[in-house]
Amino acid sequence: MRKSCLVLCSLALLVIQVRGDLADEQENAQHPRLISSRDFEALNEELDTRFWHDKAQSILADKVAKYKKLNENRAKNVILFLGDGMSVHTVTATRAFMGDSNMQVSFEKFPYLGLSKTYAVNERTPDSANTATAYLTGVKANYGTIGVNAQVQRADCEAATTNSTHVQSIAQWAQEAGKWAGLVTTARVTHASPAGVYAHVADRNWEHDGEIVSSGCSAEKNTDIARQLVEWPVGQELRVIMGGGRSYFRDRTMHDETGVSGLRTDGRDLIQDWQDIKREQGAEGKYVWSLKGLLETDLNKTDYLLGLFDTSHLPYHGDRQRTHWESAEPSLSDMTASAINMLSRNDKGYFLFVESGRIDMAHHATQAKKALEDTQEFAAAIEMARKMTDLEDTLIVVTSDHSHTMSINGYPYRRQNILSLAPNLADDELPFTILSYANGPGFADTFSSASGRVDLSHVDTTNPEFEFQATVPLSSETHGAEDVGVFASGPFEHLFTGNFEQSSIPAMMAHAANIGPFAKDKLDD
């Protein structure tokens, strides 16, 4: 009996030891003890307890002071900055790209932050069309549709031809209140996000008449997005329109200023039509197609400004700096500064929509460096706008339409280049990138059918053309479905806190400016 007890006790002790060893192994796998980076030197102040307490005290004091006196001035001006595809991960990675995780991009310094829910009425993962409808009109819509309610399904040839399905944007509310309105984008001005300012369409692809016809619908019953910008009331009264997309305004038999053919099939030159309309209105309408033309424009003598600086989208900001485009086409900051200077002439104020459209496109290509470069320029444009305007009368809201699948993984060293390889190897003894995607073309840099996992140890992952590793092979990486950040500074900034529907954003902006259906007197009713 005593012998069997000893055996059982020994077995029990062995089981406990094995479990302990397994627990230690699991703990080491989940939280590895990394070798210290030889390149890393801690800042002396960060070693001191007092440094962190003082920093916390400063942040706390600032927050307490903010809550003591809320800014409830009426917003004369409202600027909505939209980082297309700018997920929370993108913002975090941009900090590291700028040099260190303890840095902040400019809009992270805004006093109020919330999260918005981005789903479409009929899809969990949204696109830039239904989200533009939400954050510009206050109405959630179906995937792929712009400026219409959810009664309209994508590519429906009839549903969007009646005004009963159209929803108004905050730009229209501003115009009706006597304010000026404008848009700036690094994408085509007819692309999904900027189109939400002025268009009502069943399919985001209907940027010119040929796209409507190719989808099996009538270009006579359905007005394409470029025509709506030139001919319909909200688009026609936009004081500032700047971005890309010249080819979508001219017929394919015509050539633009650089010799590139248009895409339209109706024989129209909508740029000339826009100029003719301004002339008939007795207004000074200025069309420019280059940075030189923009810089030479006297904004004090211009009533309407149309700037189309590329045949399609403007170049990525980093590519712009790496090529001749820097002297040929304006940056997002250049366009934003010109827009603010011109719109500020109106004593009643303005609404301005500014989009960094190519953050999204870089993510779709899994070219993370380009996405971070564009986010950094986006932050620079916001910082400039905050300095150009008055905190007391100008509300600036910064957000994104949707996220992407990029994540920050592994255990990178502090201040390690975010574009480099993680310091720890995978179980197959091969390296992996710190930034990676759940899917996309970067799969080619992840797995080879001939050799298995790709060895990136001798690959320059900081090359802007490098496609970061992706788990699932897709020709284009997908959007993500998680919430995105909303940052606010200026009158009624405190409304933009908590977790809320994306469609609440224009309501809060309009309430701050006392315009549209969410003006104070409308709520009092």
Side-chain angles (χ1 to χ4, degrees), residues 188-477:
R188 296 188 293 268
V189 296
T190 52
H191 208 236
S193 302
V197 173
Y198 59 87
H200 310 277
V201 67
D203 196 316
R204 59 176 290 173
N205 291 337
W206 293 352
E207 295 182 62
H208 63 81
D209 65 307
E211 289 288 352
I212 300 177
V213 174
S214 66
S215 68
C217 296
S218 168
E220 294 179 0
K221 285 187 177 181
N222 295 275
T223 306
D224 63 80
I225 296 173
R227 274 188 60 198
Q228 290 189 36
L229 178 56
V230 172
E231 298 174 356
W232 286 19
V234 177
Q236 196 174 104
E237 279 307 306
L238 290 175
R239 294 286 178 151
V240 175
I241 304 164
M242 284 191 281
R246 282 195 302 267
S247 294
Y248 292 70
F249 289 80
R250 289 186 172 122
D251 188 78
R252 58 191 175 185
T253 62
M254 303 172 183
H255 297 85
D256 74 356
E257 295 78 5
T258 61
V260 177
S261 298
L263 294 171
R264 303 189 63 82
T265 62
D266 57 3
R268 301 281 297 275
D269 181 346
L270 295 180
I271 296 173
Q272 185 61 54
D273 290 351
W274 181 88
Q275 292 173 303
D276 292 342
I277 290 169
K278 300 312 170 197
R279 196 174 299 111
E280 291 168 6
Q281 292 175 337
E284 182 64 32
K286 179 73 172 178
Y287 163 65
V288 294
W289 60 274
S290 65
L291 174 59
K292 181 175 182 290
L294 178 62
L295 295 177
E296 290 177 350
T297 299
D298 187 345
L299 299 176
N300 291 318
K301 296 180 179 179
T302 302
D303 298 316
Y304 296 87
L305 175 64
L306 174 62
L308 299 176
F309 303 108
D310 206 300
T311 55
S312 185
H313 305 302
L314 271 64
Y316 291 110
H317 185 69
D319 286 348
R320 179 179 174 273
Q321 294 179 314
R322 286 183 283 268
T323 66
H324 67 280
W325 284 320
E326 189 169 21
S327 58
E329 300 185 11
S331 66
L332 183 66
S333 292
D334 293 331
M335 293 188 291
T336 301
S338 295
I340 292 174
N341 282 329
M342 183 167 164
L343 295 174
S344 296
R345 288 167 40 208
N346 184 16
D347 292 337
K348 292 185 177 180
Y350 58 84
F351 168 76
L352 174 63
F353 174 75
V354 180
E355 182 202 22
S356 179
R358 304 220 64 187
I359 299 171
D360 168 77
M361 299 174 203
H363 277 320
H364 280 305
T366 62
Q367 293 179 325
K369 182 174 184 177
K370 293 185 180 183
L372 303 187
E373 289 173 332
D374 271 52
T375 306
Q376 188 174 14
E377 164 63 8
F378 180 60
I382 295 164
E383 184 173 22
M384 178 197 66
R386 184 71 286 174
K387 290 177 179 176
M388 290 180 67
T389 55
D390 190 338
L391 188 67
E392 294 303 308
D393 70 4
T394 302
L395 171 64
I396 296 181
V397 177
V398 181
T399 189
S400 175
D401 46 357
H402 55 73
S403 69
H404 274 272
T405 70
M406 187 192 78
S407 65
I408 305 169
N409 68 96
Y411 292 93
Y413 300 127
R414 172 83 177 273
R415 291 197 292 275
Q416 181 180 350
N417 188 334
I418 195 71
L419 303 174
S420 63
L421 299 171
N424 47 311
L425 298 177
D427 288 348
D428 58 7
E429 297 299 313
L430 291 174
F432 57 96
T433 52
I434 297 170
L435 298 179
S436 65
Y437 293 83
N439 54 62
F443 182 80
D445 289 322
T446 308
F447 185 81
S448 165
S449 57
S451 58
R453 273 245 298 139
V454 177
D455 185 356
L456 296 177
S457 56
H458 300 294
V459 175
D460 181 11
T461 58
T462 66
N463 186 312
E465 301 301 322
F466 176 74
E467 296 174 345
F468 279 74
Q469 292 185 303
T471 307
V472 176
L474 285 176
S475 59
S476 178
E477 178 264 357

